[in-house]
Amino acid sequence: MKSKSDHREISGLSKEDEEWLNNNLTLNEVNKVKPKESVSVNRSVKDTYKRRVNKTLSLSKREIIEQLKLCDYQTPPKFISKLLQRLFAGYDTKEGHWLYIAQHWNPRAINRVINLMTKQHRRGDATILNSAAYFTYLIKRRKQRRNLTSSNDTRKQKL
């Protein structure tokens, strides 16, 4: 067991300062003054694994999804493909894959698939191990974007 002098050496406070703190602060206030330690627990009492969540990463993904929701049919496919690349950054995809998706499916279809994946994940309907591959699988089951312009930038006539 450590003596009071050992405790003072660790805290860096003089004897008078420690006495004043002990006499004038309640226990809750003392806890507020002490620096908070960062503790990481990987296992709970029942010895099950708990996944650590990187909040900055999830916040940026939320921002990307919000930006995708603001896209419409006039949004350039290159911009949409960059957003998709950032959204699915941790997964290996071929070069130009997200540009192909953005060119062949409109933002409304892309947003619907992302919303569907989010709902399935929240309800526990699907275990998504590779979200980029699952997104591609779901989007390919939807209709592709219609090509409304011809080569000279005029609208095609419906027959």
Side-chain angles (χ1 to χ4, degrees):
M1 185 171 198
K2 293 185 178 181
S3 67
K4 288 186 178 181
S5 63
D6 292 339
H7 179 68
R8 271 195 301 272
E9 290 174 7
I10 293 171
S11 67
L13 297 174
S14 67
K15 182 178 179 183
E16 295 84 20
D17 290 338
E18 279 191 18
E19 287 176 5
W20 185 87
L21 286 172
N22 289 335
N23 293 334
N24 295 319
L25 295 177
T26 63
L27 186 60
N28 288 336
E29 290 173 339
V30 170
N31 288 337
K32 289 179 186 174
V33 172
K34 290 182 181 178
K36 300 204 186 254
E37 296 179 13
S38 106
V39 177
S40 174
V41 177
N42 286 338
R43 303 223 180 246
S44 71
V45 177
K46 294 181 181 179
D47 200 33
T48 58
Y49 176 77
K50 290 188 176 184
R51 185 188 310 184
R52 291 186 215 168
V53 177
N54 187 351
K55 290 187 179 185
T56 58
L57 184 62
S58 61
L59 285 177
S60 66
K61 288 192 184 262
R62 284 187 203 144
E63 291 171 2
I64 293 168
I65 291 171
E66 291 300 320
Q67 287 180 356
L68 276 170
K69 286 181 181 178
L70 297 175
C71 295
D72 60 0
Y73 69 96
Q74 293 177 336
T75 307
K78 282 188 177 185
F79 179 74
I80 296 170
S81 70
K82 286 181 184 178
L83 290 175
L84 289 172
Q85 278 178 338
R86 287 178 42 204
L87 184 63
F88 300 111
Y91 302 99
D92 282 338
T93 55
K94 291 182 180 178
E95 186 70 31
H97 174 71
W98 299 116
L99 182 60
Y100 175 83
I101 296 289
Q103 288 173 341
H104 289 86
W105 284 274
N106 59 20
R108 186 174 176 187
I110 292 170
N111 286 322
R112 283 183 178 173
V113 169
I114 291 173
N115 289 336
L116 176 69
M117 287 174 59
T118 305
K119 285 180 187 176
Q120 287 178 343
H121 178 70
R122 283 185 185 157
R123 288 185 296 201
D125 293 344
T127 303
I128 303 171
L129 299 176
N130 186 344
S131 59
Y134 189 60
F135 174 84
T136 304
Y137 167 75
L138 290 176
I139 196 82
K140 286 190 174 185
R141 297 176 68 199
R142 294 197 167 267
K143 284 198 238 179
Q144 290 190 0
R145 173 181 279 194
R146 286 180 275 162
N147 190 6
L148 297 176
T149 58
S150 66
S151 60
N152 60 2
D153 245 2
T154 59
R155 289 201 174 263
K156 289 184 179 179
Q157 294 180 355
K158 292 183 180 179
L159 299 175

